[in-house]
Amino acid sequence: YRLQKIQHTQAFGRNTVLIYRKRRYICGDRECRKRFYEDNSIVERYQRQSVEFNQALSIELIHGKNFKDVADRFMVSPTTVMRRFDEISSTKLKETTDLPRVIAIDEYHNLQ
């Protein structure tokens, strides 16, 4: 077993941390002997926040709050919030494959 601290959504207005005992298995084949953790629905692989935490963070981002406010509310860094935003928005953006033949350039001159 291995203990893992997982940041979870707030409960009754207080920050919540889950302590999860991860089971680690060893392959029974004498040749293999690979080690692996059990699958779980609480936290994704290589993550420190629960799935519900990431969903709540995503919903907050969709409502148009800025990164710093969301980070302060969820007790994470603004860069973590920006990474989550990039993950959400990457599915919505499509890559441009063809460029137009003509690009319009508007000149602007400030007379001061």
Side-chain angles (χ1 to χ4, degrees):
Y1 287 98
R2 176 182 164 270
L3 295 179
Q4 180 179 2
K5 282 174 49 173
I6 302 169
Q7 192 173 7
H8 195 59
T9 55
Q10 289 187 352
F12 304 108
R14 294 183 177 195
N15 295 325
T16 307
V17 175
L18 305 175
I19 306 296
Y20 175 59
R21 281 182 69 194
K22 290 175 83 171
R23 280 192 199 135
R24 188 172 181 194
Y25 295 103
I26 300 174
C27 182
D29 185 14
R30 288 183 178 261
E31 305 263 330
C32 180
R33 304 299 288 174
K34 287 187 179 179
R35 291 166 173 80
F36 56 93
Y37 287 105
E38 68 181 341
D39 293 330
N40 66 64
S41 60
I42 298 170
V43 63
E44 293 178 7
R45 191 172 185 181
Y46 304 120
Q47 298 295 312
R48 294 182 189 182
Q49 290 95 13
S50 67
V51 173
E52 289 83 8
F53 180 88
N54 288 330
Q55 288 172 348
L57 186 72
S58 301
I59 290 169
E60 194 70 27
L61 281 170
I62 290 170
H63 289 296
K65 302 286 183 184
N66 65 33
F67 295 139
K68 182 156 178 13
D69 288 341
V70 174
D72 289 343
R73 282 198 53 224
F74 284 85
M75 303 283 294
V76 294
S77 69
T79 54
T80 300
V81 175
M82 285 186 249
R83 256 184 301 171
R84 296 286 181 258
F85 179 76
D86 289 341
E87 289 171 9
I88 295 167
S89 61
S90 67
T91 60
K92 305 297 181 201
L93 299 174
K94 58 181 179 179
E95 188 173 330
T96 303
T97 55
D98 297 326
L99 293 175
R101 288 188 62 193
V102 178
I103 298 176
I105 299 175
D106 188 18
E107 293 183 24
Y108 175 77
H109 183 67
N110 190 1
L111 299 172
Q112 283 192 14

